Amino acid sequence: MTSIVIPAHNEGRVIGRLLDALLSDAPAAGPDIVVVCNGCTDDTAAVAGARGPRVRVVEIPTPSKHTALRVGDEHAQGFPRLYVDADVEVGAADVRALTGALAARPDLLAAAPGRDIPLSGCAWPVRAYYRVWQRLPAVREGLFGRGVIAVTEPGHARIAALPPLMADDLAASLAFAPQERRVVEAARVVVHPPRTWGDLIRRRVRAATSSAELERFQASQAPGSPVGAHAPSARTGTDDLRALLRAQPSLLPGVVVFVVAALAARRGARKAIRSGDFSTWLRDESSRRG
């Protein structure tokens, strides 16, 4: 049986739309859905529980995504297993497309859906930023930044061995060689972006901080380990941006916005990186508006 683990911290405003999409057009026998409410102070558990017996709700006091994922593993019943962020939207048909892709290729250990980012209602610098970000090779090919990852049992063993990292989806993506992972474009996930420039920068500061933590972890690993020092990086280089501009010169304003955001995020992350604070989660609320 396919299992879906959803870690949720104060996601009462948005988790209902995800659960409704997962339950719509899904067979009565499955999938097995486990929502792990971690450190919630809102009505997340009540909203999830209102979806009926097909959704199992587990509550833990600790506001920790890593702990929630591990607790979800303890309650999940089968494989393939999907880990889904509570603030995205993915449907039952998309789940079937992901699990079908894993079943079709025994050498495939992990899969993620194609990404749709609705930019209407976002400030123009946010729209410009994401028009560039979505075109970057690492972003197109990696499993991160989608809020959904599906793994087989051997794939699960690979990511379960990772330590708690803020950049958990990036670490999970890098844990698999290109031939072991696949973006299944037939499956789609809606990832809601921040609507304001300030919220975008908060997200990017978090990304810069979490990337620094991941790189420290990589440097500590022995050569040949899945996420070791020689694992490919998902950082954007100037060559990537130049290649985009050569292919689409009209992206120049977006590239300028992208660089400004990257520099602002780097400055914003310096204090946390210096102090080793890799636990403060800068969350944007604008993407969670109803």
Side-chain angles (χ1 to χ4, degrees):
M1 174 182 287
T2 299
S3 283
I4 300 174
V5 174
I6 305 172
H9 172 69
N10 289 344
E11 300 286 9
R13 284 187 289 176
V14 295
I15 195 170
R17 69 189 180 193
L18 168 62
L19 294 174
D20 289 343
L22 289 173
L23 293 170
S24 176
D25 191 34
D32 166 45
I33 301 175
V34 181
V35 175
V36 184
C37 302
N38 57 102
C40 290
T41 57
D42 70 350
D43 61 348
T44 300
V47 173
R51 266 58 190 179
R54 295 171 65 189
V55 177
R56 291 186 289 136
V57 179
V58 180
E59 295 186 71
I60 61 174
T62 308
S64 164
K65 182 178 180 181
H66 179 80
T67 302
L69 291 171
R70 298 291 77 83
V71 170
D73 277 335
E74 293 170 4
H75 288 82
Q77 296 177 348
F79 289 95
R81 186 163 300 167
L82 281 76
Y83 299 97
V84 181
D85 289 350
D87 60 335
V88 303
E89 294 178 61
V90 65
D94 305 299
V95 171
R96 290 193 292 270
L98 289 171
T99 58
L102 291 174
R105 276 183 48 189
D107 60 325
L108 200 63
L109 301 183
R115 181 196 296 111
D116 296 323
I117 302 180
L119 294 172
S120 61
C122 296
W124 78 262
V126 175
R127 298 197 302 271
Y129 176 91
Y130 277 102
R131 288 190 187 110
V132 171
W133 184 80
Q134 291 184 87
R135 289 173 167 84
L136 297 172
V139 173
R140 292 198 316 268
E141 299 162 10
L143 305 185
F144 61 91
R146 302 172 192 274
V148 179
I149 183 170
V151 294
T152 62
E153 192 164 5
H156 169 264
R158 182 85 57 87
I159 62 174
L162 295 171
L165 294 166
M166 188 184 292
D168 58 308
D169 59 342
L170 177 57
S173 180
L174 295 178
F176 300 103
Q179 68 272 16
E180 295 177 321
R181 67 176 190 251
R182 179 186 166 196
V183 175
V184 181
E185 294 292 343
R188 309 302 299 177
V189 60
V190 177
V191 180
H192 293 274
R195 297 184 182 181
T196 70
W197 176 253
D199 279 308
L200 172 65
I201 296 304
R202 273 187 281 278
R203 273 203 192 186
R204 301 323 302 166
V205 169
R206 186 180 77 208
T209 305
S210 60
S211 293
E213 180 193 26
L214 176 58
E215 287 166 358
R216 288 188 183 185
F217 170 70
Q218 288 176 316
S220 71
Q221 299 303 290
S225 90
V227 196
H230 300 293
S233 171
R235 280 194 180 273
T236 300
T238 54
D239 288 345
D240 297 316
L241 298 176
R242 289 194 186 103
L244 278 182
L245 286 175
R246 283 195 297 270
Q248 290 183 266
S250 62
L251 286 175
L252 178 59
V255 169
V256 171
V257 170
F258 185 92
V259 171
V260 170
L263 293 174
R266 193 174 301 171
R267 286 196 301 269
R270 281 176 187 161
K271 182 178 179 181
I273 294 170
R274 282 198 302 266
S275 64
D277 177 9
F278 299 119
S279 60
T280 299
W281 189 272
L282 297 179
R283 164 166 145 163
D284 83 89
E285 297 295 340
S286 65
S287 62
R288 290 171 167 83
R289 294 173 190 164

